[in-house]
Amino acid sequence: ALRRIGAKTFTQQDIVDALEKVLPGRDIPNKKSNLKVLHEELTIIPGVYVANDSRDPKYNATEWLRIDNHDNSEEVCAVCGGEGDLLCCDGCPRVYHTKCIK
């Protein structure tokens, strides 16, 4: 989700929206108590920082993107949208289940 947002300042709603795209079909809770947990989780990720101290915090992951050693592959199958054991395409960021490309 952080890679999807990219090197820009974002809100909690931005990360919730990105998670919904990365994890299609999953209900991403957007309640106040969950946003507190989300805030705590975001602030422990090395390279992610709070960009302001307001009631509606904004975050930035530019440094995380710089130090992130993950490849640019997507996290869900391009055919079915599911997770699990995925094969990476050599020419693009798409990934697939073996059963989905047969």
Side-chain angles (χ1 to χ4, degrees):
L2 290 174
R3 278 186 254 139
R4 183 177 287 273
I5 289 173
K8 66 178 183 178
T9 302
F10 60 94
T11 65
Q12 288 179 330
Q13 187 59 52
D14 293 331
I15 194 78
V16 168
D17 293 345
L19 286 168
E20 287 174 343
K21 290 177 183 169
V22 171
L23 303 170
R26 298 235 177 126
D27 182 32
I28 308 296
N30 198 3
K31 296 178 183 164
K32 197 171 206 171
S33 60
N34 295 334
L35 294 178
K36 181 180 178 186
V37 171
L38 178 61
H39 173 78
E40 291 169 357
E41 289 179 0
L42 284 169
T43 56
I44 63 169
I45 299 171
V48 176
Y49 66 92
V50 179
N52 70 346
D53 284 332
S54 71
R55 293 180 102 185
D56 182 23
K58 292 185 176 32
Y59 306 87
N60 192 292
T62 303
E63 184 66 14
W64 179 85
L65 290 166
R66 190 182 69 72
I67 62 175
D68 179 32
N69 291 324
H70 299 94
D71 64 323
N72 290 328
S73 297
E74 295 176 353
E75 299 174 14
V76 295
C77 177
V79 174
C80 72
E83 298 176 310
D85 292 327
L86 301 165
L87 300 172
C88 298
C89 176
D90 290 335
C92 73
R94 291 187 178 152
V95 294
Y96 304 90
H97 292 113
T98 305
K99 65 182 180 182
C100 291
I101 56 174
K102 287 184 178 181

